[in-house]
Amino acid sequence: MADSGMSESLFAVIDEHYGLVYRYASRLSGRQDEAEDLTQQTFLSARQHLEQLRNAGAVKSWLCTIVRNLYLRSQHQQQRWQEWCDDYHPVTTPDPKFEIDPQELQAAIDQLPEEFRTPLILFYFREFSYKEIATQLQLPMGTVMSRLSRAKTQLRTLLTSEPVAAGEPVSKAVSIG
Amino acid sequence: MDCSDTLEWLEAAELGQATAADTEVVQARQHLTTCPVCQQEWPARKSWALQLAASISDVPIPSGLRERLLADVPMPAAVSTTAVHPRRSSRRWVLMSALCLTLLVGLLQFWPQPQPPLTLVELQQGLSVELAGLPEFRGDFDPHLPAIWATSFDFDRSFVRGYPPHGMASGQVALIPFQYPLAGQPEPVKGRLLILPRQRFAESQRTLATQNFRQAQVQYFRGLPGAFLVWSEDDLIYVCLMPGDPEHLARFQRSLAAPRSLT
């Protein structure tokens, strides 16, 4: 948002930030249709509460907070079950030549608990500093860093693990006893 | 600053989430100049971080989304400075609110933050962690041996370590190393018993925990070394980890769970 943002119209807010809002919603939800719904609801909510925005420079964080709140509310309403795919290899930094498959990336992000997923997405979007992420999530910076570290480790592990054969149960714990 | 923190801060600086002027970044760069482990690890980590940042940000925007939003979100007649400036009449209220908020934020800084629940994969990694690197257990619950184990093992509190090893989280789980002689094995089998309160265990995996040690099934993760048993007693979750062939853990379980003569 520009310095003259105090008088910026909702039109300009949408125009400038709809891309970020959609990308964030998409990574959080993992679904294109849900991401578009969340994006629309975010701007509807922003329109209703625009008078609450005191700091024009914080509009990006404000919108991302709305997206996350709406997403969490929708998750709660749907009572979705966070399942884990526990098919892991030990953690190492992958070979630099390793290429990230977009579908596998989203599948891996989907498997992270929300506490880990949100800071990870915000971190790799490169839109916010550590401090801004902590403020947005209302957590101390140390907690954000700890969650980020664990999220990155789990993401690396998930992305470098072997693909899971179709038809296997969600929990990959294999009984041999 | 240790190697893990160093790599975190270097990555943050590389991606622009921290600046070269940040104390931690300065310390991380100093560490890098003297640490051969980080010097070896950093190029791959940097490359991975940049690739990941590019990939995560790369979300195609559906065509026409902007137009749909502009059409669907009704525009206020004018969103002007009056909409974003606090009104003069409410200035006192705003000041009071700001003061309360500041106090609340200050209090929250010192309020302990709950740790996210631990998953079996995170617990399984307790098998490969160096015991010497684990702090003494200082958790907020009383770890005790499972009922059946108490007949075969003496419980020595000095052996109980805190896991995971990082900071405030080290009291989340009690980790107890153990060894047990198995018939036909030249050396005792070694393992680790993890104990944690039920609410710290990932909710979606609680169904994997049986009601007692005897009923627990030997399980393993494809790609991870070793095997584990998971069960619950009272309000505690127990995870028994053993490296190597899962059959060793199965034999250990049968041996420990076998009925014993009173004599």
Side-chain angles (χ1 to χ4, degrees):
Chain A
M1 199 179 214
D3 289 339
S4 60
M6 288 299 193
S7 61
E8 190 174 28
S9 69
L10 181 62
F11 180 95
V13 171
I14 293 177
D15 214 29
E16 189 168 351
H17 300 295
Y18 81 96
L20 171 66
V21 168
Y22 177 81
R23 286 189 288 125
Y24 186 36
S26 176
R27 286 297 183 206
L28 275 179
S29 68
R31 290 173 47 191
Q32 197 175 339
D33 54 346
E34 194 172 339
E36 188 157 341
D37 283 349
L38 283 170
T39 305
Q40 189 194 44
Q41 288 172 39
T42 297
F43 286 113
L44 283 169
S45 179
R47 180 193 183 277
Q48 286 177 337
H49 302 106
L50 202 59
E51 72 278 5
Q52 292 176 1
L53 183 64
R54 301 279 183 259
N55 178 4
V59 70
K60 226 166 42 171
S61 283
W62 183 60
L63 290 170
C64 285
T65 302
I66 298 175
V67 176
R68 179 169 176 251
N69 288 342
L70 288 169
Y71 167 72
L72 291 176
R73 200 179 305 159
S74 74
Q75 289 295 99
H76 179 69
Q77 283 166 352
Q78 292 170 29
Q79 292 188 323
R80 273 202 204 153
W81 201 242
Q82 176 65 48
E83 293 288 1
W84 273 81
C85 170
D86 288 323
D87 195 36
Y88 281 79
H89 278 310
V91 177
T92 52
T93 301
D95 188 317
K97 291 171 190 160
F98 180 86
E99 289 197 4
I100 299 171
D101 177 85
Q103 285 186 334
E104 286 177 13
L105 174 63
Q106 186 59 51
I109 291 172
D110 289 348
Q111 288 173 52
L112 296 175
E114 194 278 327
E115 295 95 334
F116 291 177
R117 193 185 330 150
T118 303
L120 182 114
I121 294 168
L122 293 172
F123 180 82
Y124 282 115
F125 270 5
R126 304 174 75 170
E127 296 272 355
F128 305 102
S129 68
Y130 269 148
K131 194 178 170 186
E132 286 170 326
I133 294 172
T135 305
Q136 200 178 120
L137 301 179
Q138 296 180 308
L139 291 170
M141 205 162 86
T143 305
V144 169
M145 290 189 66
S146 158
R147 289 186 186 183
L148 260 173
S149 174
R150 288 172 66 187
K152 287 185 216 171
T153 302
Q154 293 201 9
L155 191 72
R156 277 198 292 273
T157 312
L158 281 163
L159 284 172
T160 52
S161 65
E162 288 175 354
V164 177
E168 288 190 30
V170 174
S171 170
K172 299 298 182 293
V174 181
S175 166
I176 63 165
Chain B
M1 182 174 281
D2 63 16
C3 295
S4 172
D5 285 346
T6 296
L7 292 170
E8 289 296 328
W9 279 105
L10 288 174
E11 187 180 336
E14 188 66 33
L15 296 182
Q17 276 89 340
T19 68
D22 287 334
T23 312
E24 293 86 353
V25 175
V26 173
Q27 287 173 352
R29 289 191 170 151
Q30 282 170 351
H31 177 106
L32 184 66
T33 59
T34 58
C35 175
V37 177
C38 288
Q39 284 166 7
Q40 190 179 356
E41 182 75 6
W42 172 232
R45 177 74 174 258
K46 177 180 165 183
S47 165
W48 170 252
L50 290 170
Q51 195 188 162
L52 202 54
S55 301
I56 287 186
S57 300
D58 183 20
V59 178
I61 308 290
S63 64
L65 175 65
R66 176 180 171 277
E67 289 70 27
R68 284 196 294 281
L69 288 170
L70 291 174
D72 292 343
V73 180
M75 294 292 152
V79 183
S80 65
T81 48
T82 55
V84 290
H85 279 305
R87 286 188 296 275
R88 188 182 297 268
S89 60
S90 61
R91 199 167 281 169
R92 182 181 292 173
W93 182 86
V94 169
L95 281 172
M96 287 302 291
S97 301
L99 185 63
C100 291
L101 191 63
T102 307
L103 284 170
L104 186 64
V105 168
L107 277 174
L108 283 175
Q109 294 297 315
F110 298 100
W111 204 264
Q113 294 293 324
Q115 296 289 329
L118 290 157
T119 64
L120 275 170
V121 169
E122 290 181 301
L123 294 170
Q124 168 88 356
Q125 286 166 5
L127 197 55
S128 49
V129 71
E130 285 288 333
L131 281 179
L134 291 176
E136 188 181 338
F137 174 72
R138 292 182 190 278
D140 56 359
F141 67 99
D142 181 30
H144 52 268
L145 288 182
I148 288 180
W149 287 49
T151 61
S152 300
F153 291 96
D154 291 326
F155 184 42
D156 185 339
R157 282 192 176 276
S158 64
F159 284 128
V160 184
R161 315 311 301 169
Y163 179 82
H166 310 298
M168 289 176 67
S170 63
Q172 275 193 296
V173 179
L175 183 151
I176 306 172
F178 67 88
Q179 54 182 341
Y180 187 85
L182 271 184
Q185 290 292 321
E187 298 286 330
V189 290
K190 293 180 178 176
R192 291 173 183 187
L193 178 68
L194 304 186
I195 309 172
L196 66 160
R198 172 176 280 271
Q199 70 272 16
R200 288 190 193 146
F201 186 52
E203 193 177 354
S204 59
Q205 296 185 335
R206 286 179 199 163
T207 51
L208 293 173
T210 56
Q211 289 303 306
N212 60 56
F213 176 71
R214 278 199 180 91
Q215 290 175 347
Q217 289 191 308
V218 176
Q219 302 177 82
Y220 64 90
F221 292 119
R222 200 152 25 95
L224 275 186
F228 66 89
L229 295 163
V230 55
W231 72 102
S232 66
E233 289 183 24
D234 302 323
D235 286 332
L236 296 177
I237 294 284
Y238 292 89
V239 182
C240 174
L241 306 171
M242 197 170 277
D245 188 344
E247 178 56 23
H248 290 161
L249 181 56
R251 287 186 58 203
F252 166 72
Q253 182 190 24
R254 284 196 296 270
S255 173
L256 215 62
R260 287 160 200 265
S261 165
L262 284 173
T263 55

